[in-house]
Amino acid sequence: EKLLVFESAWKKEKDIVSKEIEKLHCAVEPLKAELAELEQLVRDQQDKICAVKASILKNEEKIQKMVHSINLSSRR
């Protein structure tokens, strides 16, 4: 009889814990969605930064060619 009481109490406790876990999984879902959105925004910003860096490097290369061209023409 004690075993039945123990098993019944254990089952109730297990059900309560399961319900609490389910409430937590439901509470976490919007946070997961927000995290995914923020991670995408970070990736987008990183892409923009890379594009700007590439543009800067191309511009630096053009400037160097112009400076070199000016130096050559001034020597003549």
Side-chain angles (χ1 to χ4, degrees):
E1 191 173 305
K2 284 184 180 182
L3 184 59
L4 283 175
V5 171
F6 175 76
E7 285 179 358
S8 177
W10 184 79
K11 187 176 182 327
K12 275 186 180 180
E13 188 68 27
K14 183 179 174 187
D15 289 343
I16 291 170
V17 169
S18 293
K19 286 178 185 175
E20 286 297 315
I21 289 173
E22 191 173 320
K23 284 181 189 176
L24 289 174
H25 288 356
C26 291
V28 168
E29 289 307 313
L31 295 174
K32 284 182 181 179
E34 185 178 357
L35 177 60
E37 185 179 335
L38 291 172
E39 287 174 337
Q40 183 60 50
L41 289 172
V42 168
R43 285 190 295 273
D44 292 346
Q45 288 300 317
Q46 288 173 332
D47 288 346
K48 288 178 184 178
I49 289 168
C50 286
V52 170
K53 284 182 178 181
S55 178
I56 289 170
L57 290 174
K58 285 181 184 177
N59 288 338
E60 284 181 353
E61 188 177 324
K62 286 180 185 177
I63 290 169
Q64 288 301 319
K65 285 180 181 178
M66 286 184 207
V67 168
H68 184 70
S69 170
I70 292 170
N71 283 341
L72 287 179
S73 66
S74 69
R75 288 183 183 172
R76 294 181 182 170

